[in-house]
Amino acid sequence: MTNASQTSVMPVNSDNHWYGRFSVAPMLDWTDRHCRYFLRLLSRQTLLYTEMVTTGAIIHGKGDYLAYSEEEHPVALQLGGSDPAQLAHCAKLAQARGYDEINLNVGCPSDRVQNGRFGACLMGEAQLVADCVRAMRDVVSIPVTVKTRIGIDDQDSYEFLCDFIGTVAGKGECESFTIHARKAWLSGLSPKENREIPPLDYPRVYQLKRDFPHLKMAINGGIKSLEEAKAHLQYMDGVMVGREAYQNPGILAAVDRVIYGANVADTDPVAVVRAMYPYIERELSQGAYLGHITRHMLGLFQGVPGARQWRRYLSENAHKAGADIAVVEHALNLVASKR
């Protein structure tokens, strides 16, 4: 097999209307339901992912780990697990709740995840991943997808990656993959370091798409702008953006026009904040804390005059007892008055 990093690649013709053409990555402690509701107001078409939810939490937990708002669609549930029967059970529950996709986490390298025998360590057990995907596909009609890395530890050859994809696609009948263009070190690096230290290898992912042209493939890792996303879309079916979409959510305001070709104006961030008010009031009336919602909105005005005052006022006041819409409106005026 050719070393993809040394292979010249030619563009592919991607489907402009594929629902997974642009997505926001599942991010633990970040992409909760409040975050997803907010991001949806910025882009109607971006595919949103939940935080990873383990099968154990869904089956045995006391909370409702499948809760979301109808306004979030299209929304995918990311599952963590390695027991085919448990995954199938959770997939059925998720489909019944109306999720648009089930995604299996084969990319997270944390020790806690490894101890539960899921995440990136599963790259070393391709047949088990295939069994998991097949078990879910057998009981649901919505797409079942896999998010993975390009390798783990010393198992990082292109041949290893192709064998993994080939097994999961062939025996598991998985038709769609999101590839984080970094390998993962299962020991020695923290999850944060695993997102930054292993080098990105975009050409390897491009080559993977060329070698598996019948599969839908999205690329993930280090993408910071819509211009970069468009460049990747010359070679891939989809692009997944993680930290940049959270820390600078304003980039989503142009996604529907730039990425999906919709004939719409870019979303006005001030209007988005005010569109959040009914949701915030509803959540506060049900016992939520304002800061748990507004923490996801702090980066909205990045690069705009007044952005620092917006962040500071919300950070200092949203967690106070009794904080309500008036706090958000005051913070918003610090930005809007400078436009």
Side-chain angles (χ1 to χ4, degrees):
M1 188 72 72
T2 306
N3 184 333
S5 300
Q6 300 173 352
T7 303
S8 61
V9 291
M10 295 293 291
V12 298
N13 292 320
S14 292
D15 180 1
N16 285 355
H17 303 291
W18 181 46
Y19 79 108
R21 185 167 172 80
F22 190 91
S23 63
V24 174
M27 292 176 280
L28 198 60
D29 296 325
W30 284 5
T31 51
D32 64 17
R33 62 189 183 87
H34 300 316
C35 177
R36 299 191 304 268
Y37 189 98
F38 164 61
L39 296 180
R40 177 56 66 221
L41 293 175
L42 286 159
S43 167
R44 294 305 311 159
Q45 301 200 51
T46 295
L47 176 62
L48 303 177
Y49 282 80
T50 69
E51 305 169 88
M52 181 190 68
V53 184
T54 66
T55 54
I58 294 172
I59 296 170
H60 304 296
K62 294 181 180 179
D64 182 2
Y65 290 90
L66 297 178
Y68 72 98
S69 300
E70 285 298 318
E71 293 88 347
E72 294 175 32
H73 292 291
V75 60
L77 171 69
Q78 188 183 63
L79 288 174
S82 60
D83 181 283
Q86 291 182 0
L87 285 164
H89 175 69
C90 293
K92 283 184 68 175
L93 294 176
Q95 177 170 273
R97 292 290 287 272
Y99 279 93
D100 299 293
E101 174 187 316
I102 307 295
N103 179 263
L104 181 65
N105 184 321
V106 190
C108 181
S110 79
D111 291 340
R112 183 177 64 83
V113 166
Q114 289 183 59
N115 291 337
R117 201 187 177 200
F118 52 92
C121 64
L122 288 177
M123 281 202 80
E125 299 186 68
Q127 183 58 59
L128 176 59
V129 175
D131 292 342
C132 290
V133 172
R134 183 59 186 267
M136 290 187 281
R137 281 182 54 90
D138 283 347
V139 297
V140 299
S141 57
I142 58 177
V144 177
T145 66
V146 167
K147 185 174 187 291
T148 188
R149 296 274 186 142
I150 58 173
I152 50 172
D153 296 338
D154 294 323
Q155 295 176 290
D156 61 355
S157 69
Y158 186 63
E159 290 82 359
F160 171 78
L161 178 59
C162 285
D163 287 345
F164 174 81
I165 297 296
T167 298
V168 178
K171 296 182 179 179
E173 298 185 2
C174 185
E175 299 173 349
S176 179
F177 294 82
T178 297
I179 314 293
H180 187 152
R182 288 185 174 94
K183 65 182 283 185
W185 286 103
L186 298 181
S187 60
L189 294 182
S190 69
K192 181 179 185 295
E193 290 170 331
N194 259 303
R195 291 191 297 268
E196 299 171 349
I197 292 177
L200 287 160
D201 192 345
Y202 295 140
R204 178 167 293 203
V205 183
Y206 298 164
Q207 185 63 43
L208 193 69
K209 170 60 187 176
R210 286 180 56 79
D211 287 341
F212 294 89
H214 59 292
L215 301 177
K216 289 289 188 184
M217 286 194 183
I219 193 168
N220 170 233
I223 301 164
K224 297 183 180 300
S225 70
L226 297 190
E227 289 71 26
E228 291 178 30
K230 287 182 68 176
H232 286 298
L233 287 170
Q234 295 181 73
Y235 308 102
M236 305 298 295
D237 300 301
V239 169
M240 175 181 279
V241 178
R243 285 166 290 167
E244 189 67 21
Y246 186 86
Q247 295 165 347
N248 181 21
I251 68 168
L252 296 183
V255 164
D256 294 358
R257 174 180 61 83
V258 173
I259 302 298
Y260 289 92
N263 185 21
V264 294
D266 296 352
T267 309
D268 176 8
V270 171
V272 165
V273 174
R274 293 208 164 108
M276 283 290 293
Y277 288 179
Y279 176 82
I280 292 173
E281 289 178 333
R282 184 179 78 206
E283 290 296 317
L284 294 181
S285 72
Q286 295 173 0
Y289 293 98
L290 180 65
H292 292 172
I293 302 171
T294 58
R295 71 185 181 99
H296 304 299
M297 304 166 63
L298 295 178
L300 178 60
F301 295 103
Q302 190 173 125
V304 175
R308 181 177 299 176
Q309 292 92 324
W310 155 266
R311 291 194 303 271
R312 179 183 299 159
Y313 191 85
L314 282 182
S315 297
E316 293 176 352
N317 294 280
H319 290 280
K320 293 180 178 178
D324 59 13
I325 291 295
V327 170
V328 187
E329 181 65 18
H330 183 94
L332 184 61
N333 286 334
L334 296 173
V335 180
S337 64
K338 299 187 178 185
R339 300 180 84 199

